[in-house]
């Protein structure tokens, strides 16, 4: 029985490595050589400045690093504890995030190769293909790899903030959301997906319920809540810029009239 378990574990590990390598190759090909992706990169649709003011684009890029950290924390919680719902979504999210990090990192040094191995989501791939994973010990190494990338992305956040002269007030908002997220999991005894939905609804509206009866509905609730929050901020910023421009134009017109009158008196 022990020998059979060892062979099954080795088989699942090899399958997970093969699938992850294939997915990484496909993703790299689509990003670097895919015609559709190349057209999308050159189109106006992929230019964030077509939708947001330049200041908002800098802020969204700053927030992106914190979002990656929060998503990694949520995945680690799913890999560590068992919840009744959302684990298949967590598996897929784990695979997508692992692929993204693997494509973004260097692969030259021995350290990079070790980190690349730690990024392979053995538990998530085998969980989807074979049900309950029996390579759970590799989930621990995967979490260790994730902890390293939490440090990397926080350092990127700090560097981006300093290089672009941005404030770090956003870190206070992130800490509030993170603490509320973890607190809600413990106090309300809900899954991470339910918790982040409840916190998002409470932060962006007057509700504290996990909107949506399934994982797709909850994901849709998250997208709607934060999209509305971002767009409302853009609307406020656009209105402020419009008022400021109108004020400056009026001041300039008054100065122009004043100069004209002085010239006429001479």
């Amino acid at each position: 029985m022990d020998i059979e378990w060892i062979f099954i574990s080795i088989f699942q590990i090899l399958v997970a490595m093969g699938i992850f390598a294939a997915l990484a190759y496909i993703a790299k090909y689509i990003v670097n050589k895919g015609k559709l992706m190349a057209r999308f990169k050159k189109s106006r649709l992929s230019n964030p400045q077509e939708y947001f003011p330049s200041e908002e684009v800098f802020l969204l890029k700053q927030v992106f690093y914190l979002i990656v950290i929060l998503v990694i924390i949520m995945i680690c919680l799913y890999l560590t504890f068992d919840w009744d719902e959302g684990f298949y979504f967590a598996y897929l999210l784990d695979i997508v995030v692992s692929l993204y990090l693997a494509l973004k990192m260097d692969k030259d040094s021995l350290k990079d190769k070790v980190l690349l191995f730690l990024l392979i989501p053995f538990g998530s791939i085998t969980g989807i293909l074979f049900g309950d994973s029996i390579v759970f010990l590799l989930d621990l190494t995967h979490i260790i790899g994730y902890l390293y990338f939490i440090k990397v992305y926080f350092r990127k956040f700090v560097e981006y903030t300093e290089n672009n002269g941005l404030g770090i007030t956003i870190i206070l908002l992130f800490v509030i959301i993170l603490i509320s997220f973890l607190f809600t999991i413990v106090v309300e005894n809900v899954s991470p997906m339910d918790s982040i939905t409840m916190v998002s609804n409470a932060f962006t509206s007057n509700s504290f319920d996990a909107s949506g009866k399934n994982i797709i509905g909850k994901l849709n609730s998250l997208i709607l809540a934060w999209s509305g929050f971002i767009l409302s901020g853009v609307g406020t910023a656009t209105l402020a810029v419009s008022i400021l421009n109108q004020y400056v134009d009026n001041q300039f017109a008054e100065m122009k009239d004043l100069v004209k009158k002085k010239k006429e008196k001479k």
Side-chain angles (χ1 to χ4, degrees):
M1 186 66 182
D2 291 337
I3 296 178
E4 181 182 358
W5 182 86
I6 293 173
F7 277 115
I8 292 175
S9 299
I10 293 173
F11 173 74
Q12 290 189 2
I13 291 171
L14 293 176
V15 168
M17 291 178 66
I19 290 177
F20 187 75
L23 291 174
Y25 177 81
I26 293 171
K28 185 177 180 180
Y29 178 83
I30 292 174
V31 171
N32 295 335
K33 298 181 180 180
K35 293 181 179 180
L36 183 61
M37 184 61 69
R39 290 177 183 175
F40 179 73
K41 286 181 179 179
K42 295 179 181 178
S43 70
R44 295 176 62 185
L45 293 174
S46 62
N47 184 6
Q49 292 188 350
E50 293 288 338
Y51 310 99
F52 308 107
S54 57
E55 295 81 4
E56 188 76 13
V57 173
F58 281 115
L59 180 61
L60 290 176
K61 288 182 179 179
Q62 183 191 30
V63 173
F64 169 76
Y65 297 114
L66 299 179
I67 292 175
V68 172
I69 293 174
L70 183 60
V71 169
I72 291 176
I73 291 174
M74 191 168 77
I75 293 173
C76 291
L77 288 173
Y78 267 107
L79 294 177
T80 305
F81 303 100
D82 293 326
W83 277 279
D84 295 333
E85 61 88 32
F87 52 89
Y88 277 113
F89 169 76
Y91 288 161
L92 291 173
L93 186 63
D94 182 22
I95 294 171
V96 171
V97 172
S98 297
L99 284 171
Y100 173 80
L101 296 176
L103 292 178
K104 288 291 185 180
M105 65 177 289
D106 296 326
K107 304 173 184 65
D108 300 326
S109 65
L110 177 61
K111 175 185 175 182
D112 294 333
K113 291 179 173 59
V114 171
L115 287 172
L116 182 61
F117 177 80
L118 295 179
L119 277 178
I120 300 176
F122 290 102
S124 296
I125 294 176
T126 56
I128 292 175
L129 294 178
F130 306 109
D132 292 337
S133 170
I134 61 173
V135 288
F136 59 90
L137 289 178
L138 291 176
D139 277 343
L140 179 59
T141 63
H142 189 47
I143 291 173
I144 293 173
Y146 267 150
L147 293 177
Y148 173 82
F149 279 97
I150 287 177
K151 184 186 75 171
V152 168
Y153 271 79
F154 184 76
R155 187 167 64 243
K156 286 184 177 182
F157 164 81
V158 174
E159 290 175 356
Y160 183 83
T161 300
E162 292 177 349
N163 292 338
N164 292 279
L166 300 172
I168 59 171
T169 308
I170 191 67
I171 197 69
L172 176 61
L173 174 62
F174 174 75
V175 170
I176 292 172
I177 292 176
L178 178 60
I179 292 176
S180 299
F181 166 67
L182 298 174
F183 184 76
T184 303
I185 290 176
V186 176
V187 174
E188 299 291 338
N189 192 26
V190 294
S191 68
M193 191 62 188
D194 278 341
S195 178
I196 195 63
T197 306
M198 295 166 70
V199 171
S200 298
N201 289 341
F203 182 76
T204 59
S205 66
N206 295 321
S207 173
F208 190 64
D209 297 323
S211 302
K213 294 183 179 180
N214 53 48
I215 200 70
I216 302 298
K218 292 167 186 175
L219 185 61
N220 180 57
S221 176
L222 274 176
I223 294 173
L224 288 174
W226 287 106
S227 296
F229 180 74
I230 292 171
L231 290 176
S232 64
V234 172
T236 303
T238 304
L239 179 60
V241 171
S242 176
I243 294 173
L244 182 61
N245 287 337
Q246 185 177 2
Y247 175 77
V248 172
D249 290 341
N250 291 337
Q251 292 292 102
F252 181 76
E254 290 177 3
M255 291 179 64
K256 188 176 179 181
D257 291 339
L258 184 61
V259 172
K260 186 177 179 181
K261 288 179 181 179
K262 286 184 177 181
K263 286 183 177 180
E264 290 175 351
K265 289 180 179 179
K266 290 182 180 180

